[in-house]
Amino acid sequence: MSKRIVVDPITRIEGHLRIEAVLDENNVIKDAYSSGTMWRGLELILKGRDPRDAWAFTQRICGVCTTVHALTSVRCVEDAIGAQIPPNARIIRNLIDVTQHTQDHLVHFYHLHALDWVDVVSALSADPKETSRIAQSLSAWPKSSPGYFKELQTRLTKFVESGQLGIFSNAYWGHKAYKLPAEVNLIAVAHYLEALDFQKEIVKIHAVFGGKNPHPNYTIGGMTCAIDPNSDNAINIQQLNMVKKIIDDTATFIDQVYIPDLIAIAGYYKGWLHGEGLGNYLSYGNFPQTADPASGLWPSGAILGKDLATIHEIDLADMGQVQEEIARSWYTYSKGDQAALHPWEGETNPKYVGPDLPYEYLDTDHKYSWLKAPRWKGNPMEVGPLARVLLQYAKQEPMIVDTVNGVLGALDVGPEALFSTLGRTAARGIECKQTAGFMSKFYNQLIDNIKAGDYQVFNNDLWDPERWPKECKGFGYTEAPRGALAHWIHIKDKKILDYQIVVPSTWNASPRDGKGQPGAYEAALANTPMEDPEQPLEVLRTIHSFDPCLACASH
Amino acid sequence: MANVNLVKERYIWRLPVRIYHWINAILVSILFLTGLYFASPLFSAPQGGEATWYHGMAWLRYIHLSSAYLFFANFIFRMYWALFGGDKYARFGGFKPWKFKWWGKPFKEQMASYLFLTSKEPHYMGHNPVAAIMYFIFVLCGSIIMIITGFALYSENNPGGFLAVLFGWVIPLVGSSYNLHSIHHLTAWLFPVFFITHIYAVVRHDIVDRTSVTSSMITGYKVELEE
Amino acid sequence: MKKIETFAGVFKARGVERRDFLKFCSLISVSLGLAPALVPRIVHAMEHKPRIPVLWLHGLECTCCTESFIRSSHPIAADMILNMISLDYDDTLNAAAGHQFEEIRKQIMEEYKGKYILAVEGNAPLKDNGVYCMVGGQSFTSMLKETAENAMAVISWGSCASFGCVQNAKPNPTGAVPIHKIIKNKPIVNVPGCPPIAEVMTGVITHLLTFGKLPELDRLNRPKAFYGTRIHDKCYRRPFFDAGMFVENFDDEGTRKGWCLYKMGCKGPTTYNSCSTIMWNEGTSFPIKSGHPCIGCSEPGFWDNGPFYTRLAEVPFVASDSGADKVGMYAVGAAAAGMAVHAVGTAIKKAKNDSDSNPTQEG
Ligand code: HEM
Ligand code: HEM
Ligand code: NFV
Ligand code: SF4
Ligand code: SF4
Ligand code: F3S
Ligand SMILES: [Mg+2]
């Protein structure tokens, strides 16, 4: 006898996501359905507006991965009108972007994902001395004395005894799937709080160059943050020093807290290798080093069926590659709902045909989500840190090969372990170490340029829309923390005629397509055994390993 | 030129009206020009200078705001004169555009004349009904809107202050401070539109009915001529 | 024995006098519409009841308000959510999911009737029965109404909840409306900004906890403490504005010297917020400091006041691409042309019937 469970809302994500799963008699997931239950209509709101404003609108798609849509949008408009930006602007944008990756991954690991593996209540019974011993064996991070953990434990006890558990209320504490010893749980809780405090430091880099975080400022043609080492009203050495200090502190935090925690926690779960999913991976590449967008430090390419030996090339302008389907989504297409449209001919016509509200179950045999189903040459693809790490691993990028091998070695598992929920989580950590390194790389590039007397951050040539072509098309892309992100624009008479956005979480959280192929979440949930279907911890683990963002996904 | 006789000379625009008129004309011009300028300043101060040496924008604001107070006082004065001045040609008199009857024969005749539909040219010693409706829309309503929105804008400098108590309600009414600026700015354009039609009408009447309208706002006298 | 942290305890720890605490209790009774005679009972409840529960709902939004909130430096977010309030229900941070998560909300609504704060991030779509935002199979709109029913007060986080924000920009495809359009019978504090500044968010809550009452609000229900004056009135570039020294393009001398951004479309003169005083990210910067004009992100309807890089918006209904000055100039042009044509007509007519005489009437 099969039964259907519903997890709605999925918490510790961004936006509104619903999972329905069909279990067999052994409580193993047979089929899963991922439904995005919100939609705002940004693609429609953008029509008719000044393309120079698009970055601000698209940035409001998401405040968690804030910045990436703005960046993609300015790249998209610049591509369409043919604008060039000065090298400093490119470097600063890279620096803002890579800062976002690092901070986003850190917040994801501790605040959005850790509680799937860490039992907060169990930490109450830890022995502070033993906790300290373990912590010191893991890393040189100074906050590791017995007294430190004792004090934390006392605070935690008082908190729990107040009877008001706040964000920890009614959770799955004591669930059989939790495997960490009490002491490791206590370390994780300590670092949960430390990371909550530290993440806000990292984004100060956004404030320096973009005025604020969340939602720093961009502009077409470069950046507005003037650089002049001899001005008291521009980026000068004082601000650069601040950036430098944050970068150094961040690298330390990643090296001494995040990575050791990741390895320590993963060590207790290496038997839990579910959640493989599609085996198809896609990445657009990012962090261009020259004016050529393809000059990125991160490569682009697609992997099909886990075949790392064959990297497929991708082309976002090719009408036959990236396409969106809506056969199972609450939209219609003028060419019929079975059509697959490239974003340059894309349409956004909402049409809800789901059950009347309130409902118990969605009609998963028909349309069931506010997400479109993006496909690459007809294939559903997984995007995100795992895709990027696999691609770099396949391309033998030395830093990635070393780190991946180091982590796999420390855990004593083979490379096949990467194709799993835990692999996804590990890839994010590995990548975070890489991005922390990129932060100082880009900082140094900026300093070198300034030293050489290049202060320019903005190019005014195409600021005035009078100088634009009467009609033009373009696209812009980046790798966002959650994966491959691109925007496509069609400009006519200085206004936006059409704007289409295909987002990482749209790929990952997509519903089925016209051929019935599941999206990445749906595929990854299949075959997962559940300890207790009433307490869907396993569902949360796998879904969280993708770091869902549903406001992004449906926009 | 044909022979002309001076038929009648009538004292129409008494001093208070004339004073109001010219003060108003000057202030409106100042307000319009300064307002437009600080909405989109054309020039930047010479590069390389220190901000403390220049006060261009601050001065313009100062001029606009002091003119605004005078404009307001002048307007109040004219309202007083209309209501209590006992001046036949300066009161609102029969001006009742909300009554259907007001739009009747005199208005139609004057309109027909302006539209060349009739060869008859009605003569008025005070305002003709079409002129009256123009003054009503452009000057009376326009001034009231500018005063209310203007003081609401000014009140933003000191939220909670005296002006904000009097005019602060305007902001939520129009939605936002931004909308308030937009309305004040857009309404400002009523004045040059009026200005052009007004000067044209005045000069035209001078030529067509030869009542020396133009100088009447200086001397106060309208004359009637006969050939 | 279990030591329970109560409201009274928290107040005392924060140096609040009993008198203020009592005032706080009567505020609650007023907001509940209770008779003054019941105040002592509320006082008793507060003294023996724990930290103030906060239910934080997410509607149509981008979660940047939560992100901003956790950037707070004083107090830091951890302190806020673990020691000062009891953040019992928040999609972004709660450990529980699905029905276990929903149970928390129902339980607090029941157990803390009239004593919890409802914080809302994002807003609600009214079109098509609310299908554009659904939580647990229910429309967000109905969930919002349900949760507001027994709330003590409502905090509308961000421009979404306060004024509508981006999803409410034209053509507002989902019929999204701000919270005060749906909840009418509760005290509502609007904390606009896209997002609001972190310390403003934690400031609003700690104001309540420390002084025992909601902060004073302005005409748009914004706390005067943070939205009292415009960015422009306290902007460090204001001397350049007054002097008429403007950035003309983002690559000119004025940009590097930090001149006023007015001509690049700065909305500081029409925007009420604390950016130019408190600043962002622990005082690191704010948009204008980074050389970008303020886009007015805490103002009602700011998305439709574009294009952002011009100071005055296109005039609605007239034609796209037409600012007030263009419309005005067209009107003046039309008047001038009309008069010119009329002058010609007059001349022709005058030539035709020069000898007609017309009677003079009294005006
Ligand atoms: C912005 C500038 C001006 C404004 C706002 C303005 C406004 C007015 C108003 C409100 C009246 C009605 C008088 C009353 O009842 O108080 C009026 C009448 C008059 N104005 Fe002006 N005026 C302006 C400029 C001028 C100029 C430059 C002239 C001279 C060429 C002029 C000549 C007259 C005359 C002759 C009348 C009497 C017309 C009649 O019989 O109705 N005005 N004006
Ligand atoms: C015929 C009358 C008036 C005209 C034509 C006029 C015109 C203007 C214009 C075009 C602006 C620029 C609006 C913008 O784009 O932001 C402006 C701003 C302003 N006006 Fe007036 N105005 C008039 C009367 C008044 C009055 C009676 C007041 C009352 C105090 C006033 C106070 C202001 C203020 C405070 C501003 C904003 C200045 C700033 O942005 O710093 N105006 N006016
Ligand atoms: N999916 C997604 Fe984003 C990311 N990373 C955007 O492009 O989170 Ni809001
Ligand atoms: S107010 Fe702005 S920042 Fe906050 S949720 Fe809405 S769109 Fe995001
Ligand atoms: S930069 Fe903006 S807020 Fe600052 S003085 Fe200039 S116009 Fe005002
Ligand atoms: S854009 Fe927003 S962040 Fe502040 S400076 Fe303007 S209100
Ligand atoms: Mg899209």
Side-chain angles (χ1 to χ4, degrees), chain A residues 11-12 14 164 204 213 231, chain C residues 50 63 71 91 96 256 282:
Chain A
T11 50
R12 279 180 284 129
E14 198 293 335
Q164 285 189 292
K204 286 178 182 167
N213 170 283
S231 167
Chain C
T63 311
R71 310 277 192 271
D91 294 46
R256 282 179 280 277
E282 207 169 4

Side-chain angles (χ1 to χ4, degrees), chain B residues 28 31-32 35-36 38-39 61 64-65 68 71 146-147 150-151 153-154 181 184-185 188 191, chain C residues 241 262 311-312:
Chain B
V28 164
L31 284 164
F32 180 75
L36 221 60
F38 56 62
R61 273 189 101 243
H64 190 83
L65 293 169
F71 171 82
M146 292 316 279
I147 288 166
F151 278 105
L153 284 172
Y154 194 26
H181 271 264
H184 191 72
H185 192 119
F191 290 86
Chain C
F241 172 88
Y262 188 70
R311 216 187 60 78
L312 283 181

Side-chain angles (χ1 to χ4, degrees), chain C residues 231-232 235 237-238 241 260-262 266 268-269 288:
Chain C
I231 306 265
H232 184 62
C235 175
R237 298 192 183 206
R238 180 63 182 267
F241 172 88
C260 170
L261 292 159
Y262 188 70
C266 185
I288 290 165

Side-chain angles (χ1 to χ4, degrees), chain B residues 17-225:
Chain B
V17 175
R18 279 158 26 224
I19 291 178
Y20 158 77
H21 180 270
W22 291 112
I23 290 183
N24 186 254
I26 292 166
L27 291 178
V28 164
S29 310
I30 294 175
L31 284 164
F32 180 75
L33 294 174
T34 52
L36 221 60
Y37 187 87
F38 56 62
S40 40
L42 282 175
F43 310 106
S44 274
Q47 303 223 340
E50 272 178 44
T52 40
W53 294 356
Y54 309 107
H55 301 285
M57 290 294 274
W59 265 107
L60 279 179
R61 273 189 101 243
Y62 182 71
I63 295 169
H64 190 83
L65 293 169
S66 38
S67 305
Y69 271 103
L70 293 174
F71 171 82
F72 175 58
N74 193 39
F75 178 81
I76 294 293
F77 168 74
R78 180 66 182 82
M79 288 302 110
Y80 166 82
W81 190 250
L83 297 172
F84 310 107
D87 178 345
K88 180 173 170 191
Y89 297 108
R91 67 202 158 88
F92 292 114
F95 183 71
K96 289 182 178 133
W98 52 91
K99 288 242 165 85
F100 186 71
K101 207 178 130 222
W102 186 88
W103 300 90
K105 192 157 165 261
F107 179 81
K108 281 186 192 136
E109 268 178 17
Q110 182 64 50
M111 221 37 217
S113 153
Y114 280 137
L115 295 173
F116 313 119
L117 298 175
T118 161
S119 61
K120 259 176 61 186
E121 185 75 46
H123 282 208
Y124 289 88
M125 272 293 127
H127 313 128
N128 75 50
V130 175
I133 197 82
M134 290 288 281
Y135 296 144
F136 175 72
I137 293 172
F138 285 91
V139 182
L140 185 75
C141 295
S143 299
I144 291 174
I145 295 175
M146 292 316 279
I147 288 166
I148 291 178
T149 54
F151 278 105
L153 284 172
Y154 194 26
S155 79
E156 292 193 276
N157 288 320
N158 182 14
F162 177 67
L163 282 178
V165 173
L166 287 179
F167 293 96
W169 52 270
V170 182
I171 297 172
L173 184 77
V174 298
S176 66
S177 165
Y178 186 85
N179 291 355
L180 184 63
H181 271 264
S182 304
I183 293 171
H184 191 72
H185 192 119
L186 202 57
T187 311
W189 281 97
L190 286 181
F191 290 86
V193 170
F194 170 78
F195 186 80
I196 287 176
T197 27
H198 180 59
I199 304 291
Y200 170 75
V202 168
V203 174
R204 177 184 172 278
H205 274 287
D206 234 6
I207 296 167
V208 175
D209 22 309
R210 308 217 261 169
T211 40
S212 74
V213 183
T214 313
S215 62
S216 75
M217 211 21 106
I218 299 169
T219 62
Y221 288 92
K222 274 193 184 176
V223 290
E224 262 187 51
L225 306 175

Side-chain angles (χ1 to χ4, degrees), chain A residues 281-285 298-302 314 382-384 387-388 391 479 484:
Chain A
Y281 303 92
L282 174 73
S283 173
Y284 297 160
W298 278 352
S300 77
I314 52 174
E382 170 173 344
V383 299
R388 292 188 290 250
L391 205 60
E479 277 291 319

